Amino acid sequence: MKMKKYIAATMPEAMKAIRKELGDEAVILSSKVVYSKGFLGMFKKKSIEVLAGMDSIELPNKAPNLPTVQLDPDSNQTSEIKKELEDIKNMVKSIQRPQLEQQYSEELHTLIHHLKQQELAEELITRVSDELFVHGKKTIDEQLDFTKNYLNNLLSDLSFGGISYERKFINVLGPTGVGKTTTIAKMAARAVLEKKKKVGFITTDTYRIAAIEQLKTYAGLLQAPIEIVYSQKDFQQAVHQFEKLDLVFIDTAGRNYKEVKFVEDLQKLIDFKDNTETFLVLSSTSKERDMEVIIEQFTEFPIEKLIFTKIDETNSIGSMINLMVKYNKGLAYYTDGQEVPEDIVEASQDGIVELLLKGIHNERSS
């Protein structure tokens, strides 16, 4: 490793000299305050002494004659070289990061700990913490305000809020066990009680008798008609039958949608064209990678927004934000209990950020 000592009046001046000579990939090995001797032991001058280093490769005095290699920018070889360079760059950053984190304040470490407990993606935590450090936000309140603004900007291009009431058919997709049928009942009950809409139900979940009976119970309470469909012909007949209703909620079969076959069956059965809104329901208690697989299986569907259930059964909601950012999907609702229609919240950008940062003051005082 090539190492050199720098002495400057301030740390920014030292960093400027280091970057100029060693480049942006240089590593700060140590730094300390030093004083010059001064006149008769008085008027000592304060300076910063920094030891910096950089890994270097010794080259021979004379380069051998090598054939010129022309790389095709679209070739696999070029892509592999670019990937290797990116990997090296990320490795250097990971080596530098612990040294940077040593300079973080106690308050910033508290915030980072909270975000990790919430299982926010490591990349997002790094981006937030670096911005906070660079902007010199010291108190926990300053850091929280900055973090809220940062995350709100990150989510600003995504769509939030429940059903639009502009389209008639509400398709609700999702794997088995996520609480899809109960969620549909909550959405429908709000439409009836708050918006005075006439609603109906179509269920394609002919595999689970319990799910059909559950939806029949909710339909009875709302005095809404319900149709069970087994084929595309049945589906078209039900659509025609509900011609005069304001909204029709379609409860799809809760299957293991990691299997492509079930996704294809669903595409054949339901019309996802005009006059429909489509939502994908996921359980916040599921593993993030499992939810990623489900979302990726539904890429061919016109999913408007996500719905997360069971947030009352988990201590972390970072995965919700991770998935929204990764797949560029907004959020319609999240549910926090079994009561119908109470335990459902129409999502907002501010609300989800507040939920992520909730309780951080308690962590600091504990």
Side-chain angles (χ1 to χ4, degrees):
M1 173 178 276
K2 179 182 178 181
M3 292 185 290
K4 186 172 180 180
K5 187 185 295 180
Y6 295 82
I7 297 177
T10 64
M11 179 60 84
E13 287 183 21
M15 293 296 292
K16 185 177 179 182
I18 293 167
R19 284 198 185 95
K20 184 176 180 180
E21 189 166 346
L22 299 182
D24 290 334
E25 305 301 333
V27 178
I28 305 300
L29 301 175
S30 67
S31 64
K32 64 180 179 178
V33 177
V34 295
Y35 295 90
S36 58
K37 290 186 177 180
F39 179 66
L40 298 177
M42 302 175 65
F43 309 111
K44 291 184 178 180
K45 186 178 179 182
K46 177 182 174 182
S47 302
I48 303 293
E49 181 182 290
V50 180
L51 181 63
M54 181 178 177
D55 289 328
S56 59
I57 301 173
E58 296 296 331
L59 298 175
N61 292 331
K62 185 178 179 182
N65 293 323
L66 296 174
T68 302
V69 179
Q70 297 292 334
L71 290 179
D72 178 0
D74 297 322
S75 72
N76 290 334
Q77 184 183 12
T78 305
S79 298
E80 288 174 9
I81 292 172
K82 286 181 178 178
K83 184 179 183 304
E84 288 178 8
L85 289 173
E86 188 63 30
D87 289 343
I88 293 170
K89 186 177 179 181
N90 290 333
M91 183 179 67
V92 171
K93 285 182 178 178
S94 68
I95 294 170
Q96 293 173 327
R97 174 142 299 279
Q99 297 170 347
L100 177 63
E101 290 179 355
Q102 287 176 6
Q103 302 176 55
Y104 288 171
S105 66
E106 182 182 343
E107 288 79 8
L108 183 49
H109 278 295
T110 298
L111 176 60
I112 292 171
H113 175 74
H114 176 84
L115 296 178
K116 286 182 177 179
Q117 290 293 103
Q118 287 294 313
E119 298 184 8
L120 192 67
E122 194 68 36
E123 179 189 353
L124 295 180
I125 295 175
T126 298
R127 284 157 61 181
V128 170
S129 55
D130 284 355
E131 289 290 329
L132 284 165
F133 181 71
V134 168
H135 286 82
K137 303 298 181 183
K138 298 188 181 301
T139 70
I140 194 67
D141 288 328
E142 285 178 334
Q143 291 173 1
L144 280 174
D145 287 341
F146 186 92
T147 303
K148 287 175 186 176
N149 289 333
Y150 186 90
L151 293 175
N152 272 312
N153 287 333
L154 183 69
L155 301 173
S156 61
D157 291 335
L158 303 181
S159 179
F160 288 82
I163 55 179
S164 67
Y165 296 100
E166 295 175 357
R167 282 166 280 179
K168 180 172 180 175
F169 297 97
I170 312 299
N171 293 314
V172 185
L173 315 178
T176 185
V178 297
K180 185 160 44 66
T181 302
T182 305
T183 301
I184 289 173
K186 293 173 182 178
M187 294 164 67
R190 284 199 165 193
V192 171
L193 299 173
E194 297 175 7
K195 302 293 183 179
K196 311 301 179 187
K197 300 293 185 181
K198 295 179 181 178
V199 307
F201 298 96
I202 294 175
T203 180
T204 69
D205 194 352
T206 57
Y207 303 95
R208 295 185 305 136
I209 295 174
I212 295 175
E213 293 305 316
Q214 184 185 22
L215 194 59
K216 279 183 176 180
T217 300
Y218 291 132
L221 292 171
L222 295 172
Q223 298 182 335
I226 179 172
E227 288 292 330
I228 303 165
V229 302
Y230 297 88
S231 65
Q232 191 176 43
K233 183 179 178 181
D234 291 343
F235 182 82
Q236 293 302 328
Q237 287 177 345
V239 167
H240 179 72
Q241 228 175 304
F242 292 160
E243 194 173 13
K244 294 183 180 179
L245 297 180
D246 299 315
L247 290 174
V248 177
F249 290 87
I250 301 169
D251 186 10
T252 56
R255 304 298 297 273
N256 179 7
Y257 288 111
K258 293 179 184 178
E259 297 185 31
V260 177
K261 174 185 180 299
F262 296 132
V263 176
E264 292 174 346
D265 289 345
L266 191 59
Q267 284 176 312
K268 293 174 185 175
L269 183 61
I270 297 178
D271 185 358
F272 288 92
K273 294 178 183 177
D274 296 336
N275 208 21
T276 65
E277 280 186 279
T278 303
F279 301 95
L280 177 61
V281 182
L282 300 167
S283 170
S284 59
T285 61
S286 300
K287 293 179 182 177
E288 186 169 330
R289 181 56 195 145
D290 289 341
M291 290 191 279
E292 287 178 349
V293 171
I294 299 298
I295 294 173
E296 286 162 9
Q297 288 285 54
F298 281 101
T299 52
E300 298 301 316
F301 292 82
I303 294 169
E304 306 272 338
K305 299 167 194 166
L306 303 175
I307 297 173
F308 286 96
T309 60
K310 306 183 183 182
I311 70 161
D312 56 312
E313 297 179 23
T314 181
N315 293 320
S316 60
I317 64 145
S319 293
M320 293 165 57
I321 294 177
N322 299 341
L323 295 171
M324 290 158 59
V325 171
K326 180 173 182 177
Y327 295 101
N328 197 34
K329 295 293 182 186
L331 184 62
Y333 303 96
Y334 53 87
T335 72
D336 53 2
Q338 293 296 313
E339 295 298 318
V340 179
E342 293 87 353
D343 295 335
I344 187 169
V345 178
E346 185 169 347
S348 69
Q349 187 176 301
D350 289 335
I352 197 67
V353 172
E354 290 284 350
L355 195 62
L356 178 75
L357 298 174
K358 182 179 178 183
I360 192 168
H361 281 292
N362 295 336
E363 288 182 27
R364 185 167 178 262
S365 59
S366 61

